[in-house]
Amino acid sequence: MDEQIITDALEQLASQLQPESMVKQDDQPLWYVGLPDDSHVVLRYLEDQRKLVCSSSISSTLAVDETNTDLHEWLLLETQDGAETGGVCCGLDEDGIVLFHSLPMAALSLATLSESILAVSSATRFWNGTLSDAANDRPHPPQDDFGQMMRI
């Protein structure tokens, strides 16, 4: 029942969000919304908790490894409770950093669903840009210049 409510709400929001694509996965309570700005948001319904989680991954250029630990800690601190980010928090999964917003089904409306999708999309664009800039500003190890050397 809740899955149909979510699907119907997304269909009603299509004129407002103007998605490039909107796909419901047949065998799972999972929806994919591709937005016009090339961002995408995945919606997953957690039936046991009766909530909808809207999420998006941060660029894979910031791999989860020891070279980016400082940037990941910064992101976690900035989004730890969602107070400064409109409720958007972050976490890690097997693919890297994920931004997410949880929406209890009791609070689901066209307005709250739209706000959740747009908040995740906006936060993802912001953090992709911010973290990419921060990663580019850090000193890089010296490049191997042996190819530029002349043998004497």
Side-chain angles (χ1 to χ4, degrees):
M1 173 116 157
D2 285 341
E3 286 185 48
Q4 189 59 50
I5 291 170
I6 296 165
T7 298
D8 292 346
L10 285 169
E11 288 173 358
Q12 290 178 28
L13 283 178
S15 63
Q16 176 189 340
L17 297 176
Q18 300 182 344
E20 297 289 320
S21 61
M22 196 174 327
V23 178
K24 162 78 170 81
Q25 188 164 334
D26 290 333
D27 59 338
Q28 294 183 38
L30 191 69
W31 298 259
Y32 173 91
V33 179
L35 297 169
D37 62 2
D38 292 329
S39 66
H40 69 275
V41 176
V42 175
L43 291 78
R44 180 181 306 273
Y45 176 59
L46 304 177
E47 185 174 7
D48 58 331
Q49 299 174 40
R50 290 216 62 231
K51 72 178 177 181
L52 183 64
V53 178
C54 300
S55 65
S56 186
S57 296
I58 296 286
S59 174
S60 61
T61 59
L62 294 167
V64 179
D65 62 25
E66 65 280 351
T67 61
N68 291 312
T69 303
D70 56 335
L71 295 177
H72 296 151
E73 287 176 3
W74 179 44
L75 175 63
L76 286 168
L77 286 171
E78 291 294 319
T79 64
Q80 65 184 337
D81 62 6
E84 301 294 322
T85 58
V88 176
C89 298
C90 81
L92 295 174
D93 69 7
E94 62 278 355
D95 297 322
I97 301 170
V98 177
L99 293 173
F100 64 93
H101 183 266
S102 296
L103 184 61
M105 285 302 292
L108 182 72
S109 69
L110 292 179
T112 59
L113 180 56
S114 175
E115 288 167 7
S116 184
I117 292 169
L118 294 175
V120 169
S121 174
S122 176
T124 302
R125 280 192 316 277
F126 171 79
W127 283 107
N128 270 330
T130 300
L131 294 174
S132 179
D133 290 348
N136 289 333
D137 289 343
R138 289 188 300 176
H140 297 284
Q143 297 296 317
D144 178 2
D145 290 332
F146 293 120
Q148 304 292 330
M149 297 182 90
M150 183 170 62
R151 186 175 185 109
I152 49 176

